[in-house]
Amino acid sequence: MRLVATPGQTVGPFFGHALPYDGGHELVSPDNPAAIRLHGRVLDGAGEPVPDALLELWQADAAGIVSREPGSLRRDGRTFTGWGRAGTDDRGRFAFTTVRPGPAVPGAAPYFALTIFARGLLDRLFTRAYLPGEALGSDPLLASIPAERRATLIANPDEVGLRFDVRLQGRDETVFLAYPRD
């Protein structure tokens, strides 16, 4: 019997029941002096909020070191694992409390790697949220994207931290990435 690959199934809106966990959106404590807030909204093609999306964040620490520490699901209050998970609320809003990442690769700009799961998607989406004002002009990935699309990958400072909206399609759609393994 030969097995063949089958397409992914539409994701259901069930994230809020099984995947978020206490403290998942807090990579560091809000009391940490280096804490920043990365927040935004997930919007559909019509600009409407997606109230049941789930985002995972992966990042280097402030020194640019990608953590290999276990325990992302069991926060101990001391170990920075560089990973978090947050769901969106009824208005499509999400937020992470974390630290500014350093560049993980010399010459590249620091960024947050985001994975987005949402209803209607056959598979997860990957993107990056770059920090404003960093070495964006020398980043190899940003340089490979048409200039008029790069702004969709750059977080913007506001009164509470860094804002990064994810637009799933339509005008100003966020640039999404493909990885060779997927």
Side-chain angles (χ1 to χ4, degrees), residues 107-132:
Y111 62 87
F112 301 99
L114 293 166
T115 305
I116 298 99
F117 303 87
R119 62 183 150 86
L121 296 178
L122 295 179
D123 207 348
R124 63 193 181 240
L125 299 173
F126 302 102
T127 193
R128 289 182 177 181
Y130 284 90
L131 281 71

Side-chain angles (χ1 to χ4, degrees), residues 80-153:
F80 182 78
T81 63
W83 182 84
R85 182 182 283 160
T88 57
D89 67 12
D90 289 344
R91 295 182 7 209
R93 298 177 303 190
F94 68 91
F96 292 98
T97 303
T98 187
V99 296
R100 292 178 75 88
V105 176
Y111 62 87
F112 301 99
L114 293 166
T115 305
I116 298 99
F117 303 87
R119 62 183 150 86
L121 296 178
L122 295 179
D123 207 348
R124 63 193 181 240
L125 299 173
F126 302 102
T127 193
R128 289 182 177 181
Y130 284 90
L131 281 71
E134 297 290 339
L136 299 175
S138 64
D139 187 82
L141 184 115
L142 276 177
S144 72
I145 295 169
E148 67 274 8
R149 304 274 296 127
R150 291 180 194 151
T152 71
L153 295 179

Side-chain angles (χ1 to χ4, degrees), residues 13-80:
F14 59 83
F15 301 120
H17 301 291
L19 296 176
Y21 61 96
D22 289 340
H25 64 287
E26 291 182 351
L27 285 73
V28 299
S29 168
D31 298 334
N32 183 315
I36 64 166
R37 181 178 169 98
L38 176 69
H39 68 103
R41 295 175 70 197
V42 177
L43 304 167
D44 66 16
E48 295 296 318
V50 178
D52 52 6
L54 183 84
L55 292 89
E56 291 183 348
L57 179 140
W58 301 80
Q59 73 169 92
D61 67 11
I65 298 169
V66 177
S67 176
R68 304 285 187 235
E69 294 291 329
S72 293
L73 294 174
R74 293 174 302 283
R75 307 262 192 239
D76 65 11
R78 298 178 311 279
T79 307
F80 182 78

